[in-house]
Amino acid sequence: MRRSTIAIAIALASTAAQAQLIEEVIVTAQKRAENVMDVPIAITAFSGDALEKLGTRSLTDIGRFTAGVDMNNNKSLQPTYSIRGVETNDWTIGSDPAVAVYVDGVYAARGAGAEAAFVDVERIEVLKGPQGTLFGRNATGGAIHILTHKPSQETEARVKLTGGDYRRRNIEAMYNTPLSDSVALRVTGSVLRRDGYVDNLNGEDVNDENRKNVRLALLWDVSDSTEAILRYAYEDMDQTGGVTSTLNAAAFEAANPGRSWDPFGAGSWDAPEQKEAREMSSASLEVNHQIGEMTFTSITAWRDVETELLEDLDGSNNPMFYFGSSNPEESTFFSQEFRLTGATDSLKWTAGATYTTEELEHTTEAQFLVSTFESFALPPVFAQLGQTITPEQIPAFREAARNGTNAQLNGLLGPICRNRNCDGIAAAFFISSLPGVNKNFIQILNSLRPRVAAGYDAPWNERVDSKGDYSSLAGYGDATWSITDSTNLTGGIRYTYDEKQFDLYTAYQNYLIEPGPGEPGVPFGLAFFNGGQPLLDSSQNESWGSWSGRLVLDHHLTEDTMVYASIANGFKSGGFNSLNFGPGIQTSYDAEEVMNYEIGLKGELLDGALQYSSALFFYAYDNLQTLELVGVPIPSYNLRNADAEGKGFELEVAWMLTDNWLVAGNYSWLDTEFTEYKIIPAAGETEADDRTGEPRAESPENKFAASTQYTWPLAGNGQFVARIDYTWSDDRIAVTDGEVPDYGLTNARVSWFSEDAKWEVGLWGTNLTDEEVLTLFGNGSAVNSTPGWRIQPRMWGVDLVYSM
């Protein structure tokens, strides 16, 4: 019997000519080439052909089709990857991701540089659960490995043209050629462009796409026992992806008279510019040398990434809610890995060592107006007096304060003034002088005195500069012993040592708040302020070390069925808070560790026509690094440690009903909760926030995908292939504010292939039912203007592909 293997739960044939077979995929999840069905790890693999037929263009699309995985790269420069509910949402350089992304064996250290175009990809492997032994640190949730095609000694070429709505105009090209009997070159390039799909009332539509990339790979067969692969890639991106729109109807309608707010309608923004820009270069040299029955591998790599993210965080053009930001970042990464693998009749083993360095610079600049302060710093003053003032009342207060209109003031502030005659701006000073009011507000209000007459649109800029100099050293070993012909025992261990130098400088406006009588002036920030924390200029140096390991027992019940049980743990080093400081804020936080217990079953039925993979797991976290909004008057991001646990079940199935008809699907169930999470009160907060027992954010409880594909041979005129895919995700809590409802997406594709498989014409559509869903909520919630990101609407396109 020919043993084939399931590539993914919605598997595809590798070419139209082989559409009657479930695709066989070889993976390198254990640092050696193995059949995916023989690997005792919960792993989903996507071939390059599957990626194309599924219409995937980013890791977010991969997440929709993978059980237990949820990804969000709506902002390409601030992506989040969640595997079994494990993720890190902090985008600053003070932290590391919880899911490790690798490209051709090289770690992509920063999320801003992890998202690259899916062009000429051989396969993508998604490994679930901690992968600390073989993939090292920052793989507590799992690992994603993107592998591109190696050069070959065959002459190959491929051109793909895509056109569609929103003026989509893409071109992808690949050329592979031998340069000699021992040298081969592969060149890949693409230009991906699409107009925005959200109408802008005051400019060009937003959420467009504009990327260009080129990749070179040179293979040299140095000798019969040695090969070297030199790779270089460059990508340039300049687009307005990830733009969010306010969910505050009053804010939108007040700034756009005569227009009704629609969360899925036209938007308007007042930040000077919004864009995602990235320039990324990477190079690596991989050498594989055969030493008898062993293989020695060396991978030397370098990556340089420069990014700029400009955002309108309140998602509106209302000056009372103005909140913009700029986040330029530069990173330079170097890594060196040495690995030795070998095998005997009863033992397969891998040993290796890695060393990495990172140099990082990041700036977060928050941009406000004085009117922003009025709207969101004054209400806490009233709240401390047991009174309320809504943003809608602020304009009346502003006018009264500017013009000294006593009637307006008395009408608005009468209960607070206790029937006194509140005269002009003096009313604000009177309020701030009452018992119980934070004295910082006295100085704030005093500082506004000269600005009241001049207007309320003066800029208020704040900035945090951070630098990181990080290094990591690790050694590991992993071995699989064949106890019997059907039973294997795998053990692995790794030690990781991380050292981090972190420098931080905060700057508020160019002036100090004017002091009140007998009081010194203090610097003040809306975004980066907590209890009057002074300007910071600090340098910290910390190190963390930890052992990671795994123990796996697998047993083939039959030739086609394998069961396994595993215990594995992972490690993610500690880090530094770079966006909030002061009382109750920890400057740094501890390393996190996870212990994962899992049993799985993989197999085939019906002579290989039906294939399945399943896993049942439980994990417990110590010192989980979790992101929260803390501080007043405007909260800021802060990472802290908590304990958490999770349990779940995953199932993937593919079934060839006939030689031409494939049906497939997957399902995952996940339950997470904090087992200990009591936040120390930050300045201005009166009591701890106890979230023990609550579920973790961004973790849908249920998730499934289903697909079907049918192939019609055309009697000498090629083949016609049609497929439809449906994915559904349960509702979940957003990490910042709000809740993402459950939603389903339907994609479809029909293709014609020529008899010689050189030509393909494909018509595709995504989100065919045009679902309207908000899946991301930005930190404009801090100024009462939470913005939301809209999933892409229904889109269609036509592909024309020529291969030789």
Side-chain angles (χ1 to χ4, degrees), residues 127-143:
L127 286 68
K128 306 168 192 177
Q131 305 296 322
T133 305
L134 293 172
F135 286 87
R137 66 192 183 105
N138 307 335
T140 51

Side-chain angles (χ1 to χ4, degrees), residues 404-411 413-414 416-428 430:
T405 309
N406 293 342
Q408 287 181 323
L409 279 171
N410 286 328
L413 307 177
I416 298 177
C417 290
R418 299 187 180 92
N419 298 319
R420 301 181 185 181
N421 187 22
C422 297
D423 182 23
I425 193 66
F430 171 78

Side-chain angles (χ1 to χ4, degrees), residues 50-80:
L51 295 172
E52 187 167 292
K53 298 303 185 294
L54 290 170
T56 57
R57 295 176 179 83
S58 68
L59 290 178
T60 289
D61 296 328
I62 295 295
R64 292 192 178 111
F65 290 106
T66 307
V69 176
D70 195 72
M71 305 185 192
N72 175 14
N73 78 332
N74 304 319
K75 296 180 184 178
S76 296
L77 302 184
Q78 293 179 354
T80 58

Side-chain angles (χ1 to χ4, degrees), residues 488-540:
N488 302 296
L489 179 65
T490 300
I493 193 167
R494 184 186 193 107
Y495 182 76
T496 304
Y497 177 79
D498 286 0
E499 185 172 357
K500 296 184 178 183
Q501 172 77 36
F502 186 71
D503 299 326
L504 186 69
Y505 173 73
T506 64
Y508 306 126
Q509 290 199 197
N510 294 324
Y511 61 86
L512 297 179
I513 291 178
E514 299 170 10
E519 297 184 13
V522 295
F524 175 74
L526 291 180
F528 311 125
F529 167 81
N530 186 46
Q533 177 70 28
L535 294 173
L536 293 181
D537 187 359
S538 66
S539 181
Q540 304 172 67

